[in-house]
Amino acid sequence: MVRMSAEERRESVIRAATAEFARGGYYGTSTEVIAKRVGVSQPYLFRLFPSKKAIFLAAAERCVEDTIRTFEEASEGLEGEEALHAMANAYTKVIAERPERLMMQMQMFVTVAAAEEAGEHEFGESVRAGWMRLWDTVHLPLGADVKETTTFLAYGMLINCLVAMGFPPEHRVWEGLYPSAREKGRLEK
Amino acid sequence: MVRMSAEERRESVIRAATAEFARGGYYGTSTEVIAKRVGVSQPYLFRLFPSKKAIFLAAAERCVEDTIRTFEEASEGLEGEEALHAMANAYTKVIAERPERLMMQMQMFVTVAAAEEAGEHEFGESVRAGWMRLWDTVHLPLGADVKETTTFLAYGMLINCLVAMGFPPEHRVWEGLYPSAREKGRLEK
DNA sequence: AACGTAAGTTAGTACTCAATCACTAACTTC
DNA sequence: GAAGTTAGTGATTGAGTACTAACTTACGTT
């Protein structure tokens, strides 16, 4: 048993929760399996976070932040076509190395509707705000071109869906995506 | 209490299940609420279907069939740019009139990973096969152009995500999408 | 070395939910 | 109108689950 500061533990919980929520979604993931993954007792999670929802929210927010930072770092100092390629490459790397982040995004999306209907509008607000920040983050390097930004994000969402469906990298559905996305297979080795 | 043939009831169940699963996903939807929506007792669902999973599967398959038929009918006799616009318009209509179908698609995607990990590979196979049929359905009218097909589907997936997140039709994230998609608001009236 | 505090656990509660079983009511056929 | 079949229900069960409360163990400080 390794003791850790509450803050460090919370970080571990967020990482574990991201992996588990990415797999099973909010309702398909028990706090038990998150605790197991962290290596801590299940009730202790409720010392670190007030509720399961709060854990999901923390993981979701982290996921958005990470994605935004990925694009910021990739496009730093670049513009137009160059920025586009750099960001596409960066996302390809995420596909290969952090697929749970893509899945977590998808889970966020589908959880909004349920939350909205349950009267928890803050969650939807938070997700939409995150998306807008992401939108602006790619919009600028792409020369503030709306059409270009939309297309970039659209390809991103298609990639998320294909990954979710479990298409292997050599499958023909990956044809027509950024050339870099096809190198997924190679990168994974 | 209205008596109905088992086959008719199964249809009602599929419709109700689509609406409910679209909202809450597989794990977030109880058989109870589906039964309530159908207007039938919860145990009776298990006469009509062997398990909850079977209900989800039936709803998912129906959803894919419907989407494919929508594109087939829209593109009938058209080609290239014309087919593209016709299919885009058709999808816009689905957004406005059958948003649960979009959400059900999203729920299918995110459920594959969980099913895959639980050893139920048939579900993933079914979803991927459905996607390929959809792919081929739009591929042909678009002049068998891979790039064009990918872009069309990518925009579709972005739309699904924006709808899931609950962005209202007048929000600026809808800029840059098919012009027809922007008429969503008007169509809804 | 004693003490306070922060990290962590064990035991338990109240509840939900998929699935089963034994049964009843309505329609159909001869 | 009796016999058989099909549609449908009520009661229940057993497994899981979010969260609480009360207790214990390690660590830093003086």
Side-chain angles (χ1 to χ4, degrees), chain A residues 23 117 128 151 155 165, chain B residues 23 117 128 151 155 165:
Chain A
R23 200 190 56 85
E117 214 145 325
R128 286 189 287 272
T151 304
Y155 276 76
M165 282 186 269
Chain B
R23 199 190 57 85
E117 214 146 325
R128 285 189 290 271
T151 304
Y155 276 75
M165 281 186 271

Side-chain angles (χ1 to χ4, degrees), chain A residues 65-82:
Chain A
E65 279 166 35
D66 287 347
T67 305
I68 287 174
R69 196 145 31 83
T70 297
F71 286 140
E72 275 175 354
E73 287 175 8
S75 68
E76 204 173 10
L78 302 177
E79 241 185 277
E81 192 101 357
E82 277 185 293

Side-chain angles (χ1 to χ4, degrees), chain B residues 10-97:
Chain B
R10 257 184 283 265
E11 281 305 307
S12 312
V13 171
I14 289 177
R15 271 197 300 277
T18 300
E20 292 296 339
F21 281 133
R23 199 190 57 85
Y26 180 75
Y27 297 104
T29 303
S30 68
T31 54
E32 178 92 44
V33 314
I34 297 173
K36 277 242 173 69
R37 189 180 259 259
V38 176
V40 97
S41 73
Q42 179 261 347
Y44 188 50
L45 294 185
F46 294 87
R47 291 270 155 122
L48 301 169
F49 294 88
S51 65
K52 184 185 178 184
K53 240 167 256 170
I55 301 177
F56 187 80
L57 201 67
E61 273 165 4
R62 175 62 53 88
C63 167
V64 173
E65 280 165 35
D66 287 347
T67 305
I68 287 174
R69 197 145 31 83
T70 297
F71 285 140
E72 273 175 355
E73 287 175 8
S75 68
E76 205 174 9
L78 303 177
E79 241 184 278
E81 192 101 357
E82 276 184 293
L84 178 73
H85 282 121
M87 291 195 294
N89 277 324
Y91 205 60
T92 303
K93 222 173 154 188
V94 174
I95 301 170
E97 294 172 9

